[in-house]
Amino acid sequence: MKKKIILFSLIAFATVIQAQTLEECQSAAKKNYPIIKQYDLIAQTTHLTVRNIQKGWLPQVTASALATYQSDVVAWPESMQNMYQQMGLKMKGLTKDQYKVGVDLHQTLYDGGAISSQNKIARQEGKVQEAQTEANLYQVRKRVNEMYFSLLLLDEQIKLNDDVVALLLSSEKKLSAMVKSGTAATSDFENVKAERLYAAQQNTSLKAQRLMLQRMLSVFCGIEVSNLRKPDIIKAAASTNNRPELRLFDNQLQLADTREKGLDALLRPKLGVFAQGYYGYPGLNMFEDMLSHKWSLNGVVGVKLTWNVGALYTRKNDKAKLRLQREMIENAREVFLFNNNMEQIQQTENISRYHTMMQTDNEIIVLRTNVRKAAESRLTHGIIDTNSLLREINNENAAKAQQAIHEIDMLKEMYNLQYTNNE
């Protein structure tokens, strides 16, 4: 006997331990949802992008090879060639086929803030992507709420259906005894038995629905969801809205500001040093190459200042585009807040409605229970038929079901309101 008590205690304790709360399911679903991996991918992508942009400060090296054939080349006038020939010098002139293999090197000293601007834009784009992922991931909470409260409602329906089956079975046994004693008709017994079998059939369907929904929630959360703990009644959410979508809009506006500041960098001059070297023919010494057709090493070093004023042509339009982007983002924020406010109003009114109905649910159940018990007593004494009893049993069960629905729906609206405000 002691072993059985210990075993039952362990089973009960394990059942309590395995009961999942709504917060636990939401936390598990957030970690299990595949989109969570995007946070790390975005961070890595942003890091690599910034590193690539930062390499703009490294020397830029370009290797090239060139082979050309020209229709004409630089040559001495015929009179000068004759003069050189008289002096014993043969001026061959440049050949029409020319070749170069070289390397160009450029080192930026001042870029007008272009690289710094690109770094800021890349980092801000990463923040926008993270905010978008956070907004998408937040939708997981709503889906968990739907499945969690649907499971709670199914649990209540199964419990109430079990009570109906128990009541019908009790009446069935009484009628069976009454049929044997000749105080009740066989049809009354069969009527109650048929209703009990129908209730048992409904129970099977409800349990199958619960098993399917339990499996869906388990897969969605990545944990084995067995028993659920009914959440506590919470106070109305505060008026301050802290939804991740609002942070997404803020980051998008900051990105537009960062891009506008980047337009200024396009107008500033750029300063750098360069070096060019090549091996080929002709070289920099044209006179020598006219005398001798030999390849030579050549090089040039210097400082280069460039100022591209082409950005002025599109600056006005670029700023106008960014202004329109801001207006679109602000409009999207207004639409979101409007819809969010409408949703809050609906949820608040639903909570108030369910709360009002729940105030009379207990009284209705007490009255329906009294009527049902009186019907059972009258059936025993042969005053009413089984149809009247079944009607009262169903009325009592409907009253209890309405109470459960009102309670679960009110809890659901409370937590949905919390979700709407991101409390």
PDB file of all heavy atoms in Angstrom, residues 182-209:
ATOM      1  N   GLY A 182     -39.916  -2.955 -13.386  1.00  0.00           N
ATOM      2  CA  GLY A 182     -41.157  -2.667 -14.084  1.00  0.00           C
ATOM      3  C   GLY A 182     -41.693  -1.276 -13.865  1.00  0.00           C
ATOM      4  O   GLY A 182     -42.843  -1.002 -14.243  1.00  0.00           O
ATOM      5  N   THR A 183     -40.902  -0.376 -13.318  1.00  0.00           N
ATOM      6  CA  THR A 183     -41.368   0.996 -13.058  1.00  0.00           C
ATOM      7  C   THR A 183     -40.932   1.973 -14.135  1.00  0.00           C
ATOM      8  O   THR A 183     -41.216   3.174 -14.048  1.00  0.00           O
ATOM      9  CB  THR A 183     -40.849   1.492 -11.701  1.00  0.00           C
ATOM     10  OG1 THR A 183     -39.420   1.409 -11.703  1.00  0.00           O
ATOM     11  CG2 THR A 183     -41.423   0.649 -10.565  1.00  0.00           C
ATOM     12  N   ALA A 184     -40.155   1.515 -15.144  1.00  0.00           N
ATOM     13  CA  ALA A 184     -39.720   2.378 -16.237  1.00  0.00           C
ATOM     14  C   ALA A 184     -39.733   1.585 -17.535  1.00  0.00           C
ATOM     15  O   ALA A 184     -39.575   0.354 -17.529  1.00  0.00           O
ATOM     16  CB  ALA A 184     -38.318   2.928 -15.976  1.00  0.00           C
ATOM     17  N   ALA A 185     -39.963   2.294 -18.617  1.00  0.00           N
ATOM     18  CA  ALA A 185     -40.011   1.649 -19.935  1.00  0.00           C
ATOM     19  C   ALA A 185     -38.600   1.441 -20.474  1.00  0.00           C
ATOM     20  O   ALA A 185     -37.675   2.193 -20.165  1.00  0.00           O
ATOM     21  CB  ALA A 185     -40.818   2.512 -20.904  1.00  0.00           C
ATOM     22  N   THR A 186     -38.475   0.379 -21.284  1.00  0.00           N
ATOM     23  CA  THR A 186     -37.176   0.089 -21.896  1.00  0.00           C
ATOM     24  C   THR A 186     -36.727   1.230 -22.796  1.00  0.00           C
ATOM     25  O   THR A 186     -35.532   1.535 -22.902  1.00  0.00           O
ATOM     26  CB  THR A 186     -37.252  -1.211 -22.714  1.00  0.00           C
ATOM     27  OG1 THR A 186     -37.700  -2.281 -21.864  1.00  0.00           O
ATOM     28  CG2 THR A 186     -35.903  -1.563 -23.310  1.00  0.00           C
ATOM     29  N   SER A 187     -37.674   1.905 -23.442  1.00  0.00           N
ATOM     30  CA  SER A 187     -37.335   3.015 -24.333  1.00  0.00           C
ATOM     31  C   SER A 187     -36.670   4.166 -23.574  1.00  0.00           C
ATOM     32  O   SER A 187     -35.793   4.849 -24.114  1.00  0.00           O
ATOM     33  CB  SER A 187     -38.590   3.516 -25.049  1.00  0.00           C
ATOM     34  OG  SER A 187     -39.561   3.964 -24.100  1.00  0.00           O
ATOM     35  N   ASP A 188     -37.075   4.396 -22.313  1.00  0.00           N
ATOM     36  CA  ASP A 188     -36.433   5.442 -21.517  1.00  0.00           C
ATOM     37  C   ASP A 188     -34.971   5.099 -21.243  1.00  0.00           C
ATOM     38  O   ASP A 188     -34.080   5.960 -21.343  1.00  0.00           O
ATOM     39  CB  ASP A 188     -37.178   5.625 -20.188  1.00  0.00           C
ATOM     40  CG  ASP A 188     -38.564   6.217 -20.385  1.00  0.00           C
ATOM     41  OD1 ASP A 188     -38.751   6.899 -21.408  1.00  0.00           O
ATOM     42  OD2 ASP A 188     -39.434   5.990 -19.540  1.00  0.00           O
ATOM     43  N   PHE A 189     -34.748   3.831 -20.909  1.00  0.00           N
ATOM     44  CA  PHE A 189     -33.374   3.371 -20.661  1.00  0.00           C
ATOM     45  C   PHE A 189     -32.520   3.523 -21.917  1.00  0.00           C
ATOM     46  O   PHE A 189     -31.385   4.023 -21.879  1.00  0.00           O
ATOM     47  CB  PHE A 189     -33.401   1.913 -20.201  1.00  0.00           C
ATOM     48  CG  PHE A 189     -32.058   1.241 -20.217  1.00  0.00           C
ATOM     49  CD1 PHE A 189     -31.124   1.492 -19.222  1.00  0.00           C
ATOM     50  CD2 PHE A 189     -31.724   0.353 -21.239  1.00  0.00           C
ATOM     51  CE1 PHE A 189     -29.884   0.879 -19.240  1.00  0.00           C
ATOM     52  CE2 PHE A 189     -30.487  -0.270 -21.255  1.00  0.00           C
ATOM     53  CZ  PHE A 189     -29.560   0.006 -20.258  1.00  0.00           C
ATOM     54  N   GLU A 190     -33.077   3.104 -23.053  1.00  0.00           N
ATOM     55  CA  GLU A 190     -32.324   3.165 -24.306  1.00  0.00           C
ATOM     56  C   GLU A 190     -32.068   4.613 -24.737  1.00  0.00           C
ATOM     57  O   GLU A 190     -31.028   4.925 -25.315  1.00  0.00           O
ATOM     58  CB  GLU A 190     -33.089   2.410 -25.395  1.00  0.00           C
ATOM     59  CG  GLU A 190     -33.106   0.895 -25.164  1.00  0.00           C
ATOM     60  CD  GLU A 190     -33.975   0.174 -26.177  1.00  0.00           C
ATOM     61  OE1 GLU A 190     -34.776   0.873 -26.858  1.00  0.00           O
ATOM     62  OE2 GLU A 190     -33.870  -1.056 -26.289  1.00  0.00           O
ATOM     63  N   ASN A 191     -33.004   5.483 -24.448  1.00  0.00           N
ATOM     64  CA  ASN A 191     -32.839   6.899 -24.789  1.00  0.00           C
ATOM     65  C   ASN A 191     -31.651   7.507 -24.031  1.00  0.00           C
ATOM     66  O   ASN A 191     -30.811   8.197 -24.608  1.00  0.00           O
ATOM     67  CB  ASN A 191     -34.125   7.658 -24.461  1.00  0.00           C
ATOM     68  CG  ASN A 191     -34.135   9.054 -25.062  1.00  0.00           C
ATOM     69  OD1 ASN A 191     -33.304   9.395 -25.896  1.00  0.00           O
ATOM     70  ND2 ASN A 191     -35.081   9.870 -24.640  1.00  0.00           N
ATOM     71  N   VAL A 192     -31.578   7.211 -22.736  1.00  0.00           N
ATOM     72  CA  VAL A 192     -30.475   7.742 -21.927  1.00  0.00           C
ATOM     73  C   VAL A 192     -29.155   7.108 -22.350  1.00  0.00           C
ATOM     74  O   VAL A 192     -28.118   7.784 -22.435  1.00  0.00           O
ATOM     75  CB  VAL A 192     -30.735   7.497 -20.432  1.00  0.00           C
ATOM     76  CG1 VAL A 192     -29.512   7.876 -19.599  1.00  0.00           C
ATOM     77  CG2 VAL A 192     -31.942   8.294 -19.967  1.00  0.00           C
ATOM     78  N   LYS A 193     -29.178   5.810 -22.641  1.00  0.00           N
ATOM     79  CA  LYS A 193     -27.958   5.127 -23.050  1.00  0.00           C
ATOM     80  C   LYS A 193     -27.441   5.681 -24.372  1.00  0.00           C
ATOM     81  O   LYS A 193     -26.223   5.905 -24.540  1.00  0.00           O
ATOM     82  CB  LYS A 193     -28.220   3.628 -23.185  1.00  0.00           C
ATOM     83  CG  LYS A 193     -26.953   2.836 -23.538  1.00  0.00           C
ATOM     84  CD  LYS A 193     -27.234   1.338 -23.568  1.00  0.00           C
ATOM     85  CE  LYS A 193     -25.949   0.566 -23.899  1.00  0.00           C
ATOM     86  NZ  LYS A 193     -26.203  -0.911 -23.918  1.00  0.00           N
ATOM     87  N   ALA A 194     -28.352   5.940 -25.326  1.00  0.00           N
ATOM     88  CA  ALA A 194     -27.948   6.506 -26.615  1.00  0.00           C
ATOM     89  C   ALA A 194     -27.313   7.887 -26.426  1.00  0.00           C
ATOM     90  O   ALA A 194     -26.309   8.222 -27.065  1.00  0.00           O
ATOM     91  CB  ALA A 194     -29.157   6.591 -27.546  1.00  0.00           C
ATOM     92  N   GLU A 195     -27.919   8.680 -25.518  1.00  0.00           N
ATOM     93  CA  GLU A 195     -27.358  10.007 -25.261  1.00  0.00           C
ATOM     94  C   GLU A 195     -25.979   9.912 -24.618  1.00  0.00           C
ATOM     95  O   GLU A 195     -25.074  10.702 -24.926  1.00  0.00           O
ATOM     96  CB  GLU A 195     -28.317  10.788 -24.364  1.00  0.00           C
ATOM     97  CG  GLU A 195     -28.003  12.262 -24.248  1.00  0.00           C
ATOM     98  CD  GLU A 195     -28.235  13.024 -25.537  1.00  0.00           C
ATOM     99  OE1 GLU A 195     -29.006  12.520 -26.391  1.00  0.00           O
ATOM    100  OE2 GLU A 195     -27.641  14.109 -25.695  1.00  0.00           O
ATOM    101  N   ARG A 196     -25.811   8.911 -23.747  1.00  0.00           N
ATOM    102  CA  ARG A 196     -24.504   8.722 -23.102  1.00  0.00           C
ATOM    103  C   ARG A 196     -23.450   8.293 -24.117  1.00  0.00           C
ATOM    104  O   ARG A 196     -22.306   8.772 -24.098  1.00  0.00           O
ATOM    105  CB  ARG A 196     -24.643   7.667 -22.005  1.00  0.00           C
ATOM    106  CG  ARG A 196     -23.458   7.616 -21.038  1.00  0.00           C
ATOM    107  CD  ARG A 196     -22.546   6.431 -21.280  1.00  0.00           C
ATOM    108  NE  ARG A 196     -23.241   5.178 -21.264  1.00  0.00           N
ATOM    109  CZ  ARG A 196     -22.709   4.041 -21.684  1.00  0.00           C
ATOM    110  NH1 ARG A 196     -21.478   4.026 -22.167  1.00  0.00           N
ATOM    111  NH2 ARG A 196     -23.398   2.908 -21.665  1.00  0.00           N
ATOM    112  N   LEU A 197     -23.811   7.415 -25.047  1.00  0.00           N
ATOM    113  CA  LEU A 197     -22.876   6.985 -26.084  1.00  0.00           C
ATOM    114  C   LEU A 197     -22.514   8.150 -27.014  1.00  0.00           C
ATOM    115  O   LEU A 197     -21.359   8.275 -27.453  1.00  0.00           O
ATOM    116  CB  LEU A 197     -23.479   5.832 -26.897  1.00  0.00           C
ATOM    117  CG  LEU A 197     -23.647   4.511 -26.137  1.00  0.00           C
ATOM    118  CD1 LEU A 197     -24.376   3.487 -27.009  1.00  0.00           C
ATOM    119  CD2 LEU A 197     -22.301   3.959 -25.698  1.00  0.00           C
ATOM    120  N   TYR A 198     -23.517   9.001 -27.286  1.00  0.00           N
ATOM    121  CA  TYR A 198     -23.243  10.168 -28.127  1.00  0.00           C
ATOM    122  C   TYR A 198     -22.276  11.113 -27.425  1.00  0.00           C
ATOM    123  O   TYR A 198     -21.350  11.657 -28.053  1.00  0.00           O
ATOM    124  CB  TYR A 198     -24.557  10.888 -28.445  1.00  0.00           C
ATOM    125  CG  TYR A 198     -24.367  12.162 -29.224  1.00  0.00           C
ATOM    126  CD1 TYR A 198     -23.986  12.141 -30.567  1.00  0.00           C
ATOM    127  CD2 TYR A 198     -24.551  13.404 -28.614  1.00  0.00           C
ATOM    128  CE1 TYR A 198     -23.790  13.315 -31.276  1.00  0.00           C
ATOM    129  CE2 TYR A 198     -24.352  14.584 -29.320  1.00  0.00           C
ATOM    130  CZ  TYR A 198     -23.980  14.531 -30.643  1.00  0.00           C
ATOM    131  OH  TYR A 198     -23.790  15.690 -31.343  1.00  0.00           O
ATOM    132  N   ALA A 199     -22.456  11.294 -26.117  1.00  0.00           N
ATOM    133  CA  ALA A 199     -21.550  12.153 -25.347  1.00  0.00           C
ATOM    134  C   ALA A 199     -20.141  11.561 -25.330  1.00  0.00           C
ATOM    135  O   ALA A 199     -19.143  12.289 -25.433  1.00  0.00           O
ATOM    136  CB  ALA A 199     -22.077  12.341 -23.936  1.00  0.00           C
ATOM    137  N   ALA A 200     -20.058  10.226 -25.205  1.00  0.00           N
ATOM    138  CA  ALA A 200     -18.753   9.569 -25.214  1.00  0.00           C
ATOM    139  C   ALA A 200     -18.087   9.723 -26.579  1.00  0.00           C
ATOM    140  O   ALA A 200     -16.865   9.902 -26.689  1.00  0.00           O
ATOM    141  CB  ALA A 200     -18.914   8.088 -24.873  1.00  0.00           C
ATOM    142  N   GLN A 201     -18.908   9.675 -27.629  1.00  0.00           N
ATOM    143  CA  GLN A 201     -18.385   9.875 -28.989  1.00  0.00           C
ATOM    144  C   GLN A 201     -17.818  11.284 -29.154  1.00  0.00           C
ATOM    145  O   GLN A 201     -16.752  11.479 -29.747  1.00  0.00           O
ATOM    146  CB  GLN A 201     -19.509   9.628 -29.990  1.00  0.00           C
ATOM    147  CG  GLN A 201     -19.054   9.531 -31.430  1.00  0.00           C
ATOM    148  CD  GLN A 201     -20.215   9.275 -32.365  1.00  0.00           C
ATOM    149  OE1 GLN A 201     -21.161  10.065 -32.421  1.00  0.00           O
ATOM    150  NE2 GLN A 201     -20.167   8.160 -33.087  1.00  0.00           N
ATOM    151  N   GLN A 202     -18.538  12.271 -28.620  1.00  0.00           N
ATOM    152  CA  GLN A 202     -18.046  13.648 -28.660  1.00  0.00           C
ATOM    153  C   GLN A 202     -16.737  13.782 -27.905  1.00  0.00           C
ATOM    154  O   GLN A 202     -15.831  14.516 -28.321  1.00  0.00           O
ATOM    155  CB  GLN A 202     -19.091  14.597 -28.066  1.00  0.00           C
ATOM    156  CG  GLN A 202     -20.265  14.895 -28.975  1.00  0.00           C
ATOM    157  CD  GLN A 202     -21.184  15.925 -28.361  1.00  0.00           C
ATOM    158  OE1 GLN A 202     -21.510  15.859 -27.172  1.00  0.00           O
ATOM    159  NE2 GLN A 202     -21.630  16.871 -29.167  1.00  0.00           N
ATOM    160  N   ASN A 203     -16.631  13.045 -26.784  1.00  0.00           N
ATOM    161  CA  ASN A 203     -15.405  13.089 -25.987  1.00  0.00           C
ATOM    162  C   ASN A 203     -14.212  12.580 -26.790  1.00  0.00           C
ATOM    163  O   ASN A 203     -13.112  13.135 -26.721  1.00  0.00           O
ATOM    164  CB  ASN A 203     -15.590  12.252 -24.718  1.00  0.00           C
ATOM    165  CG  ASN A 203     -15.005  12.936 -23.509  1.00  0.00           C
ATOM    166  OD1 ASN A 203     -14.629  14.095 -23.552  1.00  0.00           O
ATOM    167  ND2 ASN A 203     -14.914  12.218 -22.406  1.00  0.00           N
ATOM    168  N   THR A 204     -14.432  11.513 -27.547  1.00  0.00           N
ATOM    169  CA  THR A 204     -13.366  10.961 -28.385  1.00  0.00           C
ATOM    170  C   THR A 204     -12.902  11.983 -29.413  1.00  0.00           C
ATOM    171  O   THR A 204     -11.696  12.156 -29.657  1.00  0.00           O
ATOM    172  CB  THR A 204     -13.849   9.687 -29.093  1.00  0.00           C
ATOM    173  OG1 THR A 204     -14.285   8.718 -28.120  1.00  0.00           O
ATOM    174  CG2 THR A 204     -12.743   9.082 -29.943  1.00  0.00           C
ATOM    175  N   SER A 205     -13.865  12.692 -30.018  1.00  0.00           N
ATOM    176  CA  SER A 205     -13.525  13.715 -31.002  1.00  0.00           C
ATOM    177  C   SER A 205     -12.759  14.863 -30.365  1.00  0.00           C
ATOM    178  O   SER A 205     -11.767  15.350 -30.924  1.00  0.00           O
ATOM    179  CB  SER A 205     -14.813  14.240 -31.651  1.00  0.00           C
ATOM    180  OG  SER A 205     -14.522  15.287 -32.550  1.00  0.00           O
ATOM    181  N   LEU A 206     -13.189  15.303 -29.170  1.00  0.00           N
ATOM    182  CA  LEU A 206     -12.510  16.399 -28.480  1.00  0.00           C
ATOM    183  C   LEU A 206     -11.076  16.022 -28.109  1.00  0.00           C
ATOM    184  O   LEU A 206     -10.152  16.835 -28.252  1.00  0.00           O
ATOM    185  CB  LEU A 206     -13.290  16.795 -27.220  1.00  0.00           C
ATOM    186  CG  LEU A 206     -14.623  17.518 -27.440  1.00  0.00           C
ATOM    187  CD1 LEU A 206     -15.375  17.641 -26.120  1.00  0.00           C
ATOM    188  CD2 LEU A 206     -14.389  18.894 -28.042  1.00  0.00           C
ATOM    189  N   LYS A 207     -10.890  14.781 -27.657  1.00  0.00           N
ATOM    190  CA  LYS A 207      -9.556  14.337 -27.277  1.00  0.00           C
ATOM    191  C   LYS A 207      -8.641  14.228 -28.497  1.00  0.00           C
ATOM    192  O   LYS A 207      -7.432  14.503 -28.409  1.00  0.00           O
ATOM    193  CB  LYS A 207      -9.628  13.007 -26.546  1.00  0.00           C
ATOM    194  CG  LYS A 207     -10.226  13.122 -25.141  1.00  0.00           C
ATOM    195  CD  LYS A 207     -10.319  11.780 -24.447  1.00  0.00           C
ATOM    196  CE  LYS A 207     -10.891  11.941 -23.030  1.00  0.00           C
ATOM    197  NZ  LYS A 207     -11.042  10.657 -22.337  1.00  0.00           N
ATOM    198  N   ALA A 208      -9.217  13.826 -29.631  1.00  0.00           N
ATOM    199  CA  ALA A 208      -8.417  13.760 -30.858  1.00  0.00           C
ATOM    200  C   ALA A 208      -7.992  15.169 -31.287  1.00  0.00           C
ATOM    201  O   ALA A 208      -6.842  15.395 -31.706  1.00  0.00           O
ATOM    202  CB  ALA A 208      -9.218  13.089 -31.965  1.00  0.00           C
ATOM    203  N   GLN A 209      -8.910  16.130 -31.182  1.00  0.00           N
ATOM    204  CA  GLN A 209      -8.558  17.525 -31.506  1.00  0.00           C
ATOM    205  C   GLN A 209      -7.473  18.044 -30.570  1.00  0.00           C
ATOM    206  O   GLN A 209      -6.553  18.742 -30.999  1.00  0.00           O
ATOM    207  CB  GLN A 209      -9.805  18.409 -31.378  1.00  0.00           C
ATOM    208  CG  GLN A 209     -10.867  18.148 -32.425  1.00  0.00           C
ATOM    209  CD  GLN A 209     -12.074  19.049 -32.238  1.00  0.00           C
ATOM    210  OE1 GLN A 209     -11.938  20.241 -31.996  1.00  0.00           O
ATOM    211  NE2 GLN A 209     -13.261  18.462 -32.333  1.00  0.00           N
TER     212      GLN A 209
END
